Amino acid sequence: MHQVERAIFDLRRGMTVVVIDGDTRVLVQAIEGAGEEAVSRLAGLAGDTPSLVLSRHRLAVLGEPDARRLARLPLAEGTDRQRLVDLAFGLAPEARIGREALARWRRALEPAQAADRAALALMRRSLLIPAALVARVSEAEWSAVQARLDDGTWLAVRADEAEQCLEGGVGMLKRVSEAQIPLEDAFDCRFILFREPDGLREHVAVVINEPGQGDEAVPLRLHSACLTGDLFGSLRCDCGEQLRNAVADIQALGGGVLLYLAQEGRGIGLANKLRAYTLQDGGLDTLDADQVLGFGDDERRYGVAVDMLDALGIRRVQLLTNNPGKMAALAEGGIEVVERQALFGSLNDHNRRYLSAKSERAGHLLDAVFTGDRDSTG
Ligand SMILES: Nc1nc2c(ncn2[C@@H]2O[C@H](COP(=O)(O)OP(=O)(O)OP(=O)(O)O)[C@@H](O)[C@H]2O)c(=O)[nH]1
Ligand SMILES: [Zn+2]
């Protein structure tokens, strides 16, 4: 897996990576940051016309009615950067590209192969826009490509290994360091840092009052990182308030655990969350904005949370959340969710639309926020 992690750094820097699947060798480049000449440059290096690998969410935005899987869109020679953006993550593709032309693009779609799936997995793990420029290396160009691999200019990764990178080595989380950190609302707190084996993400368990000694369900909060809300008190969401309320609630319950998970922007990363905010300012809601960028409603996975609970010896929990998806994910991971306790922030003019989309479209249990009955639990 070592090569995969290095490939992620290369892709984030805008470099080309080679994905190998048996006899198929594919040059891969992130769409984000691709220059004006990216398509013709990659065509020259590979000796073949590049394609664009798009997620099923983005394909649905392009009007593909039956988009269940990712697919590969062969690009015309000389496709410029603006057209790449129009296809990969731009707003209103039909208006930009034209109805007929877009239908032609859709008819040209080809099923994705292992190297294409690998390319998209690498983009997601890299927290880049989930679209990849790919080009099959021709026989004629293979020796030139091989020379760049041999001299260390480029890296090669195996498609099957790259495809697995989204799992991030679940089950191999490293417990790295810890310290006592008294908080305003909970004096006896221990912060324990866990690192994913590929070194890309770190998560923190905040253990309040050393719970989990008996059979009692442990009060637990899973909190996904939100830099803007947690740190700056952004009014666009309710995260900062939820974070502080969770600490106070766990303290009031006698102690428990807060897992602070590196899942910024429901797993799409801060760069993409800021892009999504700008799309929301143009009229989209929180879910549609993510879809325009090629993401699903919620890109989070909770395997690391289950691993952290395992490391802390916690099997039964009282979960502080309004999100049924978190309860289901823990149950799937073998953690018994004995009870749920609601946890609210305040409603304001800036987060009303965000919270109503979560309530109406994503099934979050937020009725009490809108009726003002903030004490209710479910
Ligand atoms: N993509 C995206 N992410 C957002 C937006 N607003 C907030 N977030 C992220 O949404 C996540 C919210 O995390 P949580 O509060 O733990 O989870 P939740 O799904 O709201 O569920 P509960 O709070 O447990 O009820 C954080 O990662 C935020 O960064 C948005 O408009 N778009
Ligand atoms: Zn937030």
Side-chain angles (χ1 to χ4, degrees):
M1 288 303 277
H2 194 50
Q3 292 297 86
V4 174
E5 292 129 34
R6 295 166 70 183
I8 285 170
F9 281 102
D10 279 2
L11 290 168
R12 284 177 63 84
R13 293 174 60 205
M15 290 175 67
T16 304
V17 160
V18 185
V19 173
I20 298 190
D21 175 36
D23 290 341
T24 309
R25 294 102 170 199
V26 178
L27 301 190
V28 175
Q29 205 192 327
I31 186 76
E32 205 181 304
E36 194 55 47
E37 305 297 324
V39 173
S40 45
R41 182 184 153 271
L42 207 64
L45 291 168
D48 193 15
T49 316
S51 301
L52 193 55
V53 183
L54 297 172
S55 71
R56 65 188 170 92
H57 308 292
R58 182 62 195 182
L59 290 172
V61 175
L62 295 185
E64 182 63 15
D66 205 20
R68 288 207 191 88
R69 301 182 69 86
L70 66 163
R72 187 153 44 98
L73 189 61
L75 295 169
E77 222 170 282
T79 303
D80 65 9
R81 172 164 168 81
Q82 185 54 54
R83 186 46 35 108
L84 285 181
V85 171
D86 292 342
L87 290 166
F89 63 102
L91 197 55
E94 190 172 294
R96 301 254 348 148
I97 297 170
R99 180 183 291 243
E100 274 310 303
L102 194 56
R104 276 199 300 280
W105 282 108
R106 286 198 301 268
R107 282 196 295 276
L109 282 171
E110 292 174 359
Q113 292 166 348
D116 307 316
R117 292 194 298 274
L120 216 57
L122 289 169
M123 298 306 153
R124 285 179 187 280
R125 183 71 182 156
S126 309
L127 298 176
L128 297 166
I129 287 285
L133 260 183
V134 298
R136 265 75 186 145
V137 180
S138 68
E139 278 307 317
E141 294 305 323
W142 174 234
S143 57
V145 169
Q146 203 160 31
R148 285 172 186 256
L149 293 176
D150 290 345
D151 71 13
T153 310
W154 287 345
L155 270 171
V157 293
R158 277 176 42 181
D160 57 346
E161 287 186 357
E163 258 194 89
Q164 285 165 22
C165 70
L166 285 176
E167 300 308 325
V170 166
M172 295 188 293
L173 214 54
K174 279 188 224 136
R175 184 172 172 151
V176 176
S177 59
E178 55 187 89
Q180 286 295 129
I181 300 189
L183 300 179
E184 212 168 64
D185 294 318
F187 188 75
D188 180 8
C189 286
R190 197 156 46 100
F191 279 55
I192 308 175
L193 185 135
F194 291 85
R195 187 173 293 150
E196 294 189 28
D198 62 10
L200 291 172
R201 313 252 201 282
E202 293 176 340
H203 313 273
V204 175
V206 180
V207 180
I208 301 172
N209 291 343
E210 298 299 335
Q213 312 304 325
D215 275 350
E216 293 281 289
V218 174
L220 172 71
R221 167 70 182 157
L222 303 183
H223 189 93
S224 305
C226 175
L227 178 100
T228 44
D230 298 343
L231 223 50
F232 294 94
S234 159
L235 296 176
R236 295 191 77 130
C237 60
D238 57 348
C239 303
E241 254 189 284
Q242 276 190 315
L243 180 61
R244 277 156 194 82
N245 289 347
V247 171
D249 287 358
I250 291 172
Q251 171 71 18
L253 289 164
V257 174
L258 184 147
L259 299 185
Y260 192 81
L261 303 167
Q263 300 172 326
E264 174 66 63
R266 290 195 297 269
I268 71 176
L270 184 56
N272 289 320
K273 186 176 86 170
L274 298 183
R275 291 187 174 108
Y277 275 161
T278 298
L279 292 172
Q280 288 172 47
D281 291 343
L284 299 182
D285 75 15
T286 181
L287 302 177
D288 287 338
D290 283 13
Q291 189 180 17
V292 164
L293 299 176
F295 295 104
D297 289 356
D298 196 330
E299 296 281 334
R300 288 172 289 184
R301 297 173 183 212
Y302 294 96
V304 286
V306 171
D307 283 356
M308 289 163 87
L309 294 173
D310 280 348
L312 298 171
I314 294 171
R315 310 296 308 162
R316 302 179 79 229
V317 301
Q318 174 186 2
L319 192 63
L320 281 71
T321 188
N322 315 310
N323 181 350
K326 288 184 180 174
M327 292 194 281
L330 286 185
E332 212 171 291
I335 304 292
E336 191 185 346
V337 182
V338 174
E339 202 185 322
R340 177 185 82 88
Q341 178 164 324
L343 177 74
F344 302 125
S346 318
L347 196 61
N348 66 50
D349 286 348
H350 304 276
N351 69 15
R352 185 178 302 276
R353 203 150 151 261
Y354 166 66
L355 293 174
S356 47
K358 290 217 295 192
S359 168
E360 286 160 23
R361 297 191 59 199
H364 288 227
L365 308 165
L366 290 168
D367 285 355
V369 174
F370 294 98
T371 58
D373 180 14
R374 301 263 308 275
D375 287 335
S376 78
T377 54

